[in-house]
Amino acid sequence: MKLITAGESHGKALTGIIEGLPSNLKINIAEINRYLALRQSGYGRGGRQKIERDKIEILSGVRNLRTLGSPVAFQIKNNDYDNWRDFMAPEGCDITKRTLTKVRPGHADLTGIIKYDQTDARNILERASARETAVRVAAGSIMRQYLAGLGVYISGYVRSVCGIADGRRYTFEELESAKSQPLFMLDGEKQQAAMELIDELKEEGDTAGGTIEIRVKGLKSGFGSCMQYSTKLDAILCGAIMSVQAIKGVEVGLGFKAADLRGSAVHDKIFYDNKFYRETNNAGGIEGGMSNGEEIVLRAAMKPIPTLMQGLRTVDYITKDAVTAAGERSDVAAICAAEIVLESVVTVALAEVVSQRLGGDNMCEVKERYKRLK
Ligand code: EPS
């Protein structure tokens, strides 16, 4: 299974193609749109989300709500294109307007302009923009339906915003209620404090990041491989997480904390009672690059959004003058969007690993093969 995405932030549409879905997977379109709406939600988003109403339009590979086994192509229209047609149209447009040369620190602007031999960072930022993640959420939602057919579920929540952290542990079932919270946090007091901080940052023209936990439940052991570095499940899932805009760190299970503890306090002891089990899950469900049957626990750190309304010191790419970086409109925090995106990219990466191991041309075959695994 493989996903390819295309689309510019203010272009006509975002497009995705998924290759390798088995036939007869029932597609719930309302569910895909629910995740797209969740990605647009959350406290601290900016003006753009008032313009967009992301909805999937499936173009191929699905007939009467069931996959055919052929590539599934889909698009999500950019409503904002109506305001940008004159400056973005592939067929010809005015590229002297809406230019960006006051390159923003922390963005792709400067490095991209040099690498792609441009004079306008618009030709870089349009693709580097986190708008692209809408496609990955739609694809993730389709692949989530594939994994749910096997009893594999993905969830998560926001653990901290700009240092305001919830250190509690939650069961997988408790995580679902996070989605109805303004910041996808489960600790009401921390969430209130984080919302107040976001209000302050908005006043100051500043931005915030945070940390997110993603969990996978129901995955049997043996996915990923210890036989080749590139096939290790932790490498694949962490790579997927690091591919998301603004993500700067990732850990599995105890993660960085494990470095400060003794081996006897870190490694999950193994027991047997009709089946092998562990009483702790410090490994985060992955040992030797393979799922071990426990819940997979991944945590990611998102940096603050690099477009600041207050503007950071930078240099104009053309004049070389010291200037304040561009910043017309920006989210203060997009941590909820990132939470949905991270669930989605983990789902996409996992579905690829699962389909590689199981194969199967139709859903019935896939389910039978999964059931037969120990
Ligand atoms: C983004 C800048 C903002 C965000 C955008 C990502 O867009 P604009 O420049 O149009 O105001 O809203 O995110 C989305 C549009 C989205 O759907 O998530 C950026 O520079 O990365």
Side-chain angles (χ1 to χ4, degrees), residues 5-14 48 52 78 80-81 83-85 87-89 93 95 97-100 104 107-109 112-113 118 120-133 135 245 328-329:
T5 80
E8 279 74 44
S9 179
H10 303 97
K12 286 184 194 181
L14 303 162
R48 179 76 187 273
E52 303 299 341
N78 289 324
D80 212 11
Y81 182 66
N83 306 316
W84 283 79
R85 191 183 306 269
F87 322 104
M88 286 298 293
C93 63
I95 57 163
K97 302 224 172 73
R98 309 273 175 112
T99 56
L100 192 147
R104 297 161 297 170
H107 251 284
D109 299 352
I113 236 178
Q118 301 288 349
D120 177 5
R122 171 123 342 260
N123 289 345
I124 306 304
L125 72 90
E126 283 291 335
R127 182 62 183 155
S129 165
R131 174 95 190 119
E132 176 264 349
T133 59
V135 187
Q245 290 82 342
E328 285 168 28
R329 157 175 90 180

Side-chain angles (χ1 to χ4, degrees), residues 2 18 27 37 65 73 79 115 148 160 205-206 218 229 236 250 252 276 283 289 292 299 333-334 348 357:
K2 190 164 175 51
I18 306 170
I27 298 295
L65 299 176
N79 286 345
K115 176 177 166 68
S160 72
D206 218 328
Y229 65 89
I236 292 168
V250 60
V252 183
F276 294 103
N292 65 8
R299 259 176 249 111
V348 169
R357 185 176 186 199

Side-chain angles (χ1 to χ4, degrees), residues 10 22-23 30 41 83 89 126 143 158 172 176 200 206 224 226 233-234 238 299 329 339 343 345 354:
H10 303 97
S23 68
S41 72
N83 306 316
E126 283 291 335
M143 296 190 197
V158 172
F172 187 87
E176 200 47 39
E200 268 172 46
D206 218 328
C226 59
L233 186 62
D234 36 8
C238 292
R299 259 176 249 111
R329 157 175 90 180
E339 195 282 324
E343 280 190 32
V345 299
V354 168

Side-chain angles (χ1 to χ4, degrees), residues 213-285:
E213 182 169 301
I214 303 296
R215 302 238 289 264
V216 179
K217 189 187 162 97
L219 183 68
K220 290 189 178 184
S221 69
F223 285 91
S225 165
C226 59
M227 297 299 172
Q228 188 64 269
Y229 65 89
S230 55
T231 58
K232 288 175 187 265
L233 186 62
D234 36 8
I236 292 168
L237 298 183
C238 292
I241 285 177
M242 287 304 298
S243 77
V244 174
Q245 290 82 342
I247 299 300
K248 285 304 221 183
V250 60
E251 57 181 15
V252 183
L254 264 191
F256 275 69
K257 211 185 267 175
D260 300 334
L261 301 172
R262 295 163 186 224
S264 55
V266 170
H267 298 293
D268 306 303
K269 294 169 188 71
I270 298 171
F271 300 88
Y272 187 82
D273 184 7
N274 284 322
K275 58 172 189 166
F276 294 103
Y277 70 95
R278 296 150 180 90
E279 287 183 343
T280 52
N281 186 19
N282 292 335

